[in-house]
Amino acid sequence: MASKSQISVGRPLMWGGIAVLTTAVAAGAWFLKSGGIESGVKAAEKAAASSVKKHIAPELTSAEVDAPMSEGASADLQRVVESRVLDERTATVRIWTPSGFLVYSSTGERTGTRGGSIQGIRVATTGAGNTTSTVPSSEGGVLDIYTPLRVGADREAVAAVEVVESYAPIVAAAGQPWSLVQSVAGGLAAISVLMLVVSFAFLRAGRFGKHESMGFARSGSGREDDEKLRPTLAA
């Protein structure tokens, strides 16, 4: 009876192997998804830097971004930003001075105030500047990209352009099909661990039952008594 129970739940070694395999698959899927997200963020940074260089930089001069932009200059830039930069993913564009003052906002925020990411602005405006971003803690957040603004013949950055993009499309693109693989493999790994525990329990129960049955085996003296008693009963 113990052997039938053991066969029905499988051998511990088999479930252990399945648990290790499915855990490895789930970890691999997570790694590939993480790598896809990182690649997606880098692609978004590159696209933002290219968009600023192509569409925003030609419309500005160094003097226009030294202080809050005039209404006329801001309106002219707004038309360019709305028609060529903003889309279903890009929600906001801001321009910051190296000291962290807001000189332009596509959402009409009050300019002349200090804000933004100190680290992002510093990286974007130091020397020639570099593009960097702040990744949100949740998939529903926004990706904050800071890229240098170089105008005219200047090779050094004169300001930092903040481009705010939706983070969810990057996660969604990176998760296909690894999110599903990770979920399925993780579920199978959990089931395998459970079955491993169950199979060990059945195995121990089977061995215990076998030892108990051996304890009830009749001794040799008992069989001799039966032989002696049989003629008496026959008479």
Side-chain angles (χ1 to χ4, degrees), residues 4-201:
K4 291 182 179 179
S5 298
Q6 182 179 344
I7 293 173
S8 65
V9 297
R11 297 181 180 276
L13 184 61
M14 178 189 72
W15 288 114
I18 294 175
V20 171
L21 178 61
T22 51
T23 300
V25 172
W30 176 85
F31 178 79
L32 291 171
K33 179 181 177 180
S34 299
I37 292 176
E38 184 178 351
S39 298
V41 170
K42 289 182 178 180
E45 291 177 353
K46 185 176 180 180
S50 176
S51 181
V52 169
K53 181 179 180 180
K54 183 178 179 180
H55 302 303
I56 296 179
E59 304 294 326
L60 299 172
T61 64
S62 298
E64 288 178 320
V65 293
D66 281 342
M69 297 176 64
S70 64
E71 291 186 9
S74 180
D76 292 340
L77 182 59
Q78 182 72 12
R79 284 191 289 270
V80 174
V81 169
E82 288 181 350
S83 62
R84 301 179 184 178
V85 181
L86 300 181
D87 53 27
E88 66 276 3
R89 291 191 179 187
T90 305
T92 308
V93 173
R94 300 184 182 97
I95 300 178
W96 302 91
T97 65
S99 55
F101 285 96
L102 182 66
V103 297
Y104 166 80
S105 172
S106 63
T107 60
E109 297 167 281
R110 181 183 175 185
T111 57
T113 57
R114 187 185 292 272
S117 167
I118 297 175
Q119 176 71 9
I121 295 172
R122 183 184 65 80
V123 172
T125 57
T126 301
N130 290 293
T131 301
T132 186
S133 63
T134 301
V135 176
S137 57
S138 65
E139 296 182 2
V142 295
L143 180 67
D144 245 349
I145 302 173
Y146 287 83
T147 189
L149 175 66
R150 307 181 189 93
V151 297
D154 292 336
R155 300 190 63 180
E156 292 191 355
V158 296
V161 179
E162 178 188 3
V163 180
V164 181
E165 294 194 1
S166 176
Y167 187 60
I170 296 175
V171 177
Q176 297 177 354
W178 304 119
S179 293
L180 178 61
V181 174
Q182 182 183 357
S183 299
V184 173
L188 290 176
I191 294 173
S192 300
V193 171
L194 176 62
M195 292 305 297
L196 177 63
V197 175
V198 172
S199 61
F200 266 121

